[in-house]
């Protein structure tokens, strides 16, 4: 017997933020940027009530959800495509745009899935240098050549938490060769309150060579259901529909996403909670010589260069207490940890644990 041969694909497989530990029963997961407040009460209700007709296939085109999205975000129904997480949209974009030998540009410390899906279809991933953990427009432009097909950008960026402001984004699009697709990933858009920030969707709704990504995994609290959406020119979206797996978004995800969009109150509460705790945690970390990005999304990139303990030491000590932070090795960032803002109880436990570790008791 022999295993038939398959392609060898040279990628670092994505390792999700840790979620379980063997020894400890109480696990506080602050490693994957999920919703601090869990599920919207409206979604909880629908999960109990709705007749889900699970034996029947879901709507392959997510019509009702897209209708709701187009109304809520004031954008065109025909330019929306839903995916099993925005993750799947990234995958489909790579399948649609890239052939072996093509190049994509990603910032040095960006979300890992851009490079994973690009490499799977044979494209070369070119990294643009960042300045103090912030994306540099000029460095991106410097990397463009005839082979460049896509520039991927999460704004604000995961894991650094930095962002390009409105002017910088417009500048990037203006300087970038117009044949290159700019993909702007708005995953953390809802958390952003800075005046100089604009989401990709708000800025480029009508721009033919910009494609926007949105997700229900973060503030909407539906990470476990896998649902996100993309927005772009109708020609691109039509082509994506042609290659899309027919029933990529399951029925439960569609129902819950529709419901989550209605709960303005929950989103408001989540934003407020995020701001309060982000500030509190950032200030307390500063006292220990642990510094981070300006407050932006629902996480902080904690830098231990001025702390008397290393990131790795703190990560292990926290893990022994059942508290999980994201290590940054796979992103190539040294001596840093990414902390997701949790619910109030989780944040208090984290702060107390840090106090004890720093005081070495
Ligand atoms: C979390 C995250 C996503 C969301 O991915 P889903 O597949 O929708 O869960 C997308 N982009 C970035 C930058 C993220 O951090």
């Amino acid at each position: 017997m022999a295993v038939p041969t398959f392609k060898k694909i040279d990628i670092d497989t994505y390792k999700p933020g840790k979620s379980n530990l063997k020894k400890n029963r109480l696990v506080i997961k602050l490693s994957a940027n999920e919703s601090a407040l869990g599920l919207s009460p409206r979604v909880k209700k629908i999960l109990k009530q709705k007749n889900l007709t699970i034996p029947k296939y879901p709507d392959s085109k997510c019509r009702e959800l897209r209708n709701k999205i187009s109304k809520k975000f004031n954008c065109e129904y025909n330019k929306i495509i839903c995916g099993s997480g925005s993750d799947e949209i990234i995958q489909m974009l790579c399948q649609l745009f890239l052939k072996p030998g093509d190049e994509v540009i990603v910032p040095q410390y960006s979300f890992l899935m851009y490079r994973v899906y690009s490499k799977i279809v044979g494209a070369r991933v070119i990294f643009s240098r960042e300045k103090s953990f912030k994306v540099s427009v000029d460095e991106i432009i410097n990397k463009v050549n005839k082979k460049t097909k896509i520039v991927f950008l999460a704004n604000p960026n995961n894991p650094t938490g930095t962002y390009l402001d409105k002017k910088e984004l417009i500048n990037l699009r203006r300087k970038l060769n117009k044949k290159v697709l700019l993909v702007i990933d708005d995953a953390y858009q809802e958390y952003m309150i800075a005046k100089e920030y604009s989401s990709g969707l708000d800025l480029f709704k009508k721009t033919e060579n910009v494609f926007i990504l949105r997700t229900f995994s973060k503030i909407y609290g539906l990470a476990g259901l896998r649902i996100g959406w993309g927005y772009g020119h109708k020609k691109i979206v039509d082509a994506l529909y042609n290659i899309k797996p027919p029933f990529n978004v399951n029925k439960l995800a569609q129902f819950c996403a529709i419901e989550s969009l209605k709960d303005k109150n929950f989103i408001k509460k989540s934003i407020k909670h995020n701001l309060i705790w982000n500030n509190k945690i950032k200030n307390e970390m500063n006292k220990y010589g642990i510094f981070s990005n300006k407050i932006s999304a629902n996480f902080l990139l904690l830098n231990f260069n001025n702390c008397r303990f290393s990131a790795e030491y703190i990560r292990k000590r926290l893990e022994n207490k059942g508290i999980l932070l994201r290590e940054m090795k796979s992103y190539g960032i040294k001596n840093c940890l990414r902390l997701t803002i949790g619910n109030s109880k989780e944040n208090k436990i984290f702060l107390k644990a840090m106090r004890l570790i720093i005081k070495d008791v």
Side-chain angles (χ1 to χ4, degrees), residues 85-87 111 114 154 158 185 187-188 215 217-218 226-227:
S86 48
D87 203 65
F111 188 49
Y114 310 143
N158 169 17
D185 185 341
Y188 301 95
T215 183
S217 297
K218 303 290 151 66
R226 312 303 306 124
I227 180 160

Side-chain angles (χ1 to χ4, degrees), residues 83-101:
S84 174
S86 48
D87 203 65
E88 188 184 41
I89 314 270
I90 301 168
Q91 181 180 30
M92 292 194 289
L93 282 172
C94 289
Q95 287 170 336
L96 186 66
F97 279 89
L98 304 174
K99 57 182 190 310

Side-chain angles (χ1 to χ4, degrees), residues 214-231:
R214 291 274 174 123
T215 183
F216 285 95
S217 297
K218 303 290 151 66
I219 206 164
Y220 291 100
L222 304 183
L225 286 178
R226 312 303 306 124
I227 180 160
W229 53 284
Y231 191 85

Side-chain angles (χ1 to χ4, degrees), residues 148-237:
T148 311
K149 288 281 153 55
I150 303 179
V151 172
F152 283 105
L153 187 73
N155 203 45
N157 183 45
N158 169 17
T160 57
T162 56
Y163 60 92
L164 296 184
D165 65 26
K166 183 177 168 176
K167 274 190 199 151
E168 290 167 317
L169 270 187
I170 293 171
N171 191 30
L172 169 61
R173 185 57 273 182
R174 193 180 295 139
K175 283 187 172 170
L176 186 63
N177 184 319
K178 62 177 186 298
K179 288 183 190 158
V180 176
L181 182 71
L182 174 61
V183 176
I184 301 180
D185 185 341
D186 279 349
Y188 301 95
Q189 173 268 327
E190 293 84 358
Y191 295 103
M192 296 298 290
I193 54 151
K195 278 206 189 75
E196 72 280 8
Y197 168 86
S198 277
S199 74
L201 188 69
D202 286 340
L203 274 184
F204 297 115
K205 234 175 236 183
K206 295 194 172 126
T207 312
E208 294 177 4
N209 49 11
V210 176
F211 198 90
I212 313 296
L213 300 173
R214 291 274 174 123
T215 183
F216 285 95
S217 297
K218 303 290 151 66
I219 206 164
Y220 291 100
L222 304 183
L225 286 178
R226 312 303 306 124
I227 180 160
W229 53 284
Y231 191 85
H233 192 275
K234 184 152 183 309
K235 278 188 190 164
I236 298 176
V237 170

Side-chain angles (χ1 to χ4, degrees), residues 233-291:
H233 192 275
K234 184 152 183 309
K235 278 188 190 164
I236 298 176
V237 170
D238 285 347
L240 290 173
Y241 273 107
N242 282 338
I243 62 169
K244 182 180 84 61
F247 304 109
N248 59 328
V249 182
N250 73 69
K251 209 171 242 186
L252 198 54
Q254 294 188 35
F255 279 136
C256 291
I258 290 165
E259 208 55 31
S260 73
L261 285 177
K262 295 178 191 163
D263 202 339
K264 285 186 196 157
N265 210 18
F266 178 76
I267 300 300
K268 246 198 220 157
K269 236 169 103 177
S270 301
I271 295 168
K272 195 172 160 201
H273 170 92
N274 186 58
L275 269 179
I276 291 170
W277 280 103
N278 237 323
N279 270 303
K280 205 176 264 186
I281 292 172
K282 185 179 167 71
N283 288 339
E284 194 142 335
M285 292 304 106
N286 287 354
K287 290 184 205 155
Y288 306 143
I290 303 165
F291 296 101

